[in-house]
């Protein structure tokens, strides 16, 4: 852990800013002379100490009760009307490099984003899963959480979650009504200056911050939409910032090199010094997942420039061991405060194990764990055991096994391919692929071509989708004509892929045992497949891919 600076500008003493630690160290008593009983007396509100060191239980509070309310047809009708209003705005696939509109509208609302601490998550791959893991861990420690992620799979309400559940449609509508007058004020001001109205994503982010303050939540876990520096979420001052693996994506907005893209992502790591109290160092921790060396250098430079402590995957934390288990995997994680053994994660893949280590480090940093101050292991196990990450190699049907995965870039495709190879033993695997034409289509196909025995290509009803005939023609040159199939719609593609799986199983005499279908290529494709196969209550309009 980096905390001070060595001659290279990096932290060097392994500590994390922590108010409880300061409570002892700031006194006139030498901490080394204190007995366990003395320490417990000084910090009994939060910490326990035994021969193994300090433990942060953080689970004595009452867990917030989640109330499930009925969703009526009237709720859905009102939600659809609001979503149509939001979708008439500047699309979230575009970036206007300014945070002025966000600052203006939030100032009018009383800066709700500062009403609670926050953990801010950016990156190219894994950031939604990491965000959801962080949230689940915080909830296990009895914190009321707000979570904002994007894009949504099936309902726009997924983007604003409180206590781990999407906001109720009626509350979504009411939140829009509450912020709408202020949004329109900023719209008029921007248009008078020759600028655009607030974008769809800006408004949704504003609504999330307002809903969190209204709840109120104890902590917000905020996922960046695109990039970081100019993302609408970058008005929060994260107590902890997280950078998941950075790769080449959205080059038209973020840059043509890994260094440029990393610089944009690292823009969420900001100075947290209080100009009115320059004598008290602020808690400011950056958790950095596995990175390309060039990206890591850029991110570290940004962290050093704003006096942020740094914890890096593979250095200050990481996976010690993982083994495939029924329904997921069992992990041993080396955290910032100690080792956490026998942690069951109900998600597959080495990449999800790495995501789990990053999420745990973020929560440890948030609670001040580190240097012998470990979180309660059983509570950590509970948090990970309750994790879900829809459309991340999610099994939604059996006989044959049907998975949906939101992979939409080569890095994600590589992780998908490795997981299918390492964690599963399929005799026959059929892919269903639909990709947006503004993505690295060739890179995705080249990465997945050896993973599937047959591939069914289709086209979803989005203007960004690559026409299926063009996609199939490109695939024939990369995959081979004999393995390429074409279906007019996602519904037809699912039917055709299942038939291909059944046909081979009957011919070889093993039936459906060991056969699988994986639907991938975009978040929208995954969401559409989940809707068709009954894994949703709500299905609304187009989503943008990060």
């Amino acid at each position: 852990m980096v905390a001070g600076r060595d001659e290279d500008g990096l932290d060097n003493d392994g500590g994390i800013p922590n108010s409880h630690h300061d409570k002892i160290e700031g006194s006139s008593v030498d901490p080394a002379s204190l007995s366990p009983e003395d320490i417990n007396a000084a910090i009994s509100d939060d910490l326990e100490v035994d021969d193994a060191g300090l433990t942060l239980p953080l689970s004595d509070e009452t867990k917030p009760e989640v109330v499930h309310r009925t969703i009526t047809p009237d709720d859905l009708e009102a939600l659809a009307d609001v979503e149509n209003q939001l979708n008439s705005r500047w699309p979230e696939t575009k970036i206007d490099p300014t945070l002025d509109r966000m600052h203006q509208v939030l100032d009018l609302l009383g800066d709700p984003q500062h009403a609670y601490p926050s953990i801010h998550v950016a990156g190219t791959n894994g950031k939604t899963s990491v965000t959801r893991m962080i949230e689940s861990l915080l909830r296990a420690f009895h914190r009321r959480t707000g979570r904002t992620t994007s894009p949504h799979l099936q309902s726009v309400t997924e983007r604003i979650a409180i206590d781990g559940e999407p906001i109720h449609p009626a509350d979504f509508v009411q939140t829009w009504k509450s912020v709408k007058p202020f949004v329109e004020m900023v719209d008029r001001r921007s248009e008078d200056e020759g600028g655009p109205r607030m974008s769809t994503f800006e408004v949704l982010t504003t609504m999330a911050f307002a809903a969190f303050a209204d709840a109120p939540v104890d902590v917000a876990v905020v996922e960046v939409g695109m990039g970081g520096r100019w993302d609408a979420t970058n008005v929060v001052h994260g107590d902890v910032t997280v950078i998941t693996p950075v790769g080449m994506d959205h080059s038209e907005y973020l840059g043509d090199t890994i260094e440029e893209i990393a610089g944009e992502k690292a823009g969420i790591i900001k100075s947290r010094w209080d100009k009115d109290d320059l004598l008290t160092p602020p808690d400011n921790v950056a958790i950095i997942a596995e990175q390309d060396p060039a990206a890591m250098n850029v991110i570290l430079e940004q962290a050093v420039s704003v006096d942020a402590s740094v914890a890096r995957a593979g250095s200050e934390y990481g996976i010690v061991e993982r083994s495939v288990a029924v329904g997921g995997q069992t992990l041993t994680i080396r955290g910032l405060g100690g080792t956490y053994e026998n942690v069951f994660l109900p998600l597959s893949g080495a990449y999800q194990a790495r995501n789990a280590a990053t999420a745990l480090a973020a929560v440890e940093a948030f609670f001040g764990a580190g240097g012998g101050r470990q979180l309660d292991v059983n509570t950590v196990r509970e948090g990970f055991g309750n994790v879900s990450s829809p459309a991340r190699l999610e099994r939604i049907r059996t006989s044959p096994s049907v998975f949906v995965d939101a992979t939409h870039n080569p890095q994600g495709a590589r992780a998908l391919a490795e997981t299918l190879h390492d964690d599963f033993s399929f005799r026959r695997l059929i892919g269903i692929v639909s990709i947006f034409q503004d993505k690295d289509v060739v890179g995705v196909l080249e990465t997945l071509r050896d993973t599937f025995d047959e591939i069914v290509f289709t086209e979803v009803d989005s203007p960004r989708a690559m026409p299926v005939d063009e996609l199939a023609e490109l695939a024939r040159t990369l995959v081979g004509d004999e393995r390429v199939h074409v279906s007019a719609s996602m519904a037809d593609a699912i039917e055709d892929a299942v038939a291909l799986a059944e046909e081979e199983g009957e011919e070889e005499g093993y039936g459906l045992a060991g056969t699988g279908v994986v639907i991938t290529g975009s978040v929208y494709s995954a969401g559409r497949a989940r809707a068709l196969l009954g894994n949703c209550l709500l299905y609304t309009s187009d989503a943008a891919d990060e």
Side-chain angles (χ1 to χ4, degrees):
M1 185 62 167
V2 198
R5 294 187 181 179
D6 60 20
E7 61 186 5
D8 295 319
L10 298 179
D11 300 340
N12 54 24
D13 73 4
I16 295 178
N18 179 266
S19 58
H20 307 294
H21 191 241
D22 295 343
K23 183 175 179 181
I24 296 175
E25 293 196 340
S27 71
S28 59
V29 179
D30 178 10
S33 70
L34 296 177
S35 68
E37 291 76 16
D38 294 329
I39 297 176
N40 278 330
I43 56 176
S44 59
D45 290 343
D46 298 276
L47 302 179
E48 297 175 358
V49 65
D50 55 24
D51 292 338
L54 292 171
T55 299
L56 299 169
L58 297 170
S59 56
D60 296 332
E61 302 175 22
T62 301
K63 183 173 290 188
E65 181 181 358
V66 179
V67 178
H68 296 278
R69 293 151 54 196
T70 301
I71 299 174
T72 69
D74 288 344
D75 291 332
L76 297 182
E77 183 178 354
L79 177 67
D81 178 63
V82 169
E83 190 173 9
N84 286 333
Q85 294 179 53
L86 295 177
N87 286 339
S88 69
R89 294 176 168 273
W90 183 291
E92 56 189 318
T93 51
K94 294 184 179 180
I95 291 181
D96 182 23
T98 178
L99 294 174
D100 289 349
R101 290 183 297 276
M102 286 300 299
H103 284 301
Q104 290 170 17
V105 73
L106 292 170
D107 181 62
L108 291 170
L109 290 166
D111 284 321
Q113 79 279 15
H114 298 324
Y116 36 78
S118 60
I119 298 176
H120 202 184
V121 184
T124 303
N125 291 290
K127 57 189 172 66
T128 297
S129 291
V130 168
T131 297
R132 295 180 70 98
M133 290 177 189
I134 291 171
E135 176 198 46
S136 188
L137 287 167
L138 290 170
R139 295 192 66 238
F141 283 104
H142 298 182
R143 297 308 189 265
R144 189 171 202 204
T145 57
R147 182 193 77 225
T148 177
T149 55
S150 62
H152 59 273
L153 284 167
Q154 293 143 301
S155 171
V156 69
T157 60
E158 299 166 23
R159 293 175 180 244
I160 305 173
I162 296 173
D163 293 328
E165 298 287 338
I167 190 172
H168 190 280
D171 295 337
F172 185 95
V173 171
Q174 184 55 50
T175 302
W176 164 240
K177 290 179 179 178
S178 297
V179 305
K180 183 178 180 181
F182 304 100
V183 168
E184 291 177 340
M185 289 173 63
V186 175
D187 286 343
R188 288 192 293 271
R189 183 181 302 175
S190 180
E191 289 179 321
D192 287 345
E193 296 173 354
R197 295 190 302 162
M198 289 187 68
S199 71
T200 300
F201 187 71
E202 287 174 332
V203 175
L204 287 168
T205 302
T206 300
M207 291 172 61
F209 293 152
F212 297 162
D214 187 60
V217 303
D218 298 319
V219 54
V221 190
V222 179
E223 179 192 3
V224 165
M226 184 192 301
R229 187 180 310 279
W230 301 113
D231 187 74
T233 65
N234 203 25
V235 291
V236 300
H237 295 286
D239 295 64
V240 178
T241 53
V242 181
I243 309 294
T244 67
V246 173
M248 297 298 297
D249 204 2
H250 293 296
S251 296
E252 65 274 30
Y253 300 112
L254 305 181
D256 296 325
T257 68
I258 194 73
E259 292 90 346
E260 290 175 316
I261 294 174
E264 290 301 310
K265 306 283 186 181
I268 69 167
I269 307 173
K270 303 185 293 292
S271 174
R272 300 188 72 245
W273 281 95
D274 182 352
K275 64 181 180 180
D276 296 322
D277 182 12
L278 297 179
L279 298 179
T280 304
D283 292 356
N284 192 9
V285 184
I287 307 297
I288 308 176
E290 296 80 0
Q291 303 291 345
D292 177 283
M296 179 64 84
N297 287 338
V298 173
I299 298 167
L300 288 176
E301 287 174 2
Q302 174 65 19
V304 168
S305 73
V306 296
D307 292 315
S309 300
V310 172
R312 298 157 293 180
S315 296
E316 286 74 39
Y317 72 90
I319 293 295
V320 176
E321 184 179 3
R322 87 172 189 102
S323 59
V324 177
V326 176
Q329 54 190 313
T330 301
L331 310 175
T332 298
I333 305 174
R334 177 171 57 85
L336 304 179
T339 299
Y340 301 79
E341 298 179 336
N342 297 318
V343 175
F344 176 71
L345 180 69
L347 303 171
S348 297
Y351 72 100
Q352 291 290 25
R354 293 190 291 269
N355 287 340
T358 294
L360 177 59
V363 174
E364 285 184 299
F366 180 78
F367 284 129
R373 301 185 301 278
Q374 184 171 6
L375 297 180
D376 181 71
V377 176
N378 287 329
T379 308
V380 168
R381 290 173 182 148
E382 176 190 346
F384 278 123
N386 291 328
V387 164
S388 66
S389 195
R392 273 64 184 179
L393 201 54
E394 176 190 19
R395 190 194 303 261
I396 57 175
R397 175 177 165 171
T398 57
S399 296
S401 294
V402 178
F403 299 82
V404 293
D405 191 271
T407 285
H408 54 270
N409 58 40
Q411 297 91 344
R414 189 174 305 113
L416 172 61
E418 290 173 355
T419 301
L420 289 169
H421 178 271
D422 296 342
D423 289 21
F424 298 89
S425 298
F426 290 108
R427 293 179 175 177
R428 182 169 172 80
L429 191 59
I430 312 298
I432 298 176
V433 177
S434 175
I435 309 179
F436 285 172
Q437 55 192 342
D438 56 357
K439 295 296 179 179
D440 183 358
V441 178
V442 172
V444 171
L445 294 181
E446 287 181 336
T447 304
L448 292 177
R449 63 184 172 189
D450 295 330
T451 299
F452 301 123
D453 297 290
E454 311 273 346
I455 306 178
V456 180
F457 291 93
T458 190
E459 181 180 344
V460 291
D461 53 344
S462 167
R464 295 173 61 200
M466 174 173 277
V468 65
D469 291 338
E470 294 181 21
L471 181 57
E473 185 62 29
L474 177 61
R476 289 187 180 99
T477 65
L478 297 172
V479 177
D481 185 70
E482 69 283 355
R483 296 166 56 200
V484 172
H485 306 265
V486 175
S487 297
S489 67
M490 180 61 73
D492 291 341
I494 294 172
E495 182 177 342
D496 293 343
V498 170
L500 285 168
E502 292 174 342
E503 176 185 328
E504 178 75 12
E506 291 174 0
E507 291 178 358
E508 298 298 325
Y510 55 77
L512 294 176
T515 61
V517 174
V518 178
I519 304 164
T520 191
S522 75
V523 175
Y524 189 85
S525 301
R528 183 60 177 154
R530 292 181 92 246
L532 288 168
L533 293 169
N535 280 62
C536 73
L537 295 175
L538 302 172
Y539 180 68
T540 53
S541 64
D542 199 358
D545 278 331
E546 165 59 22

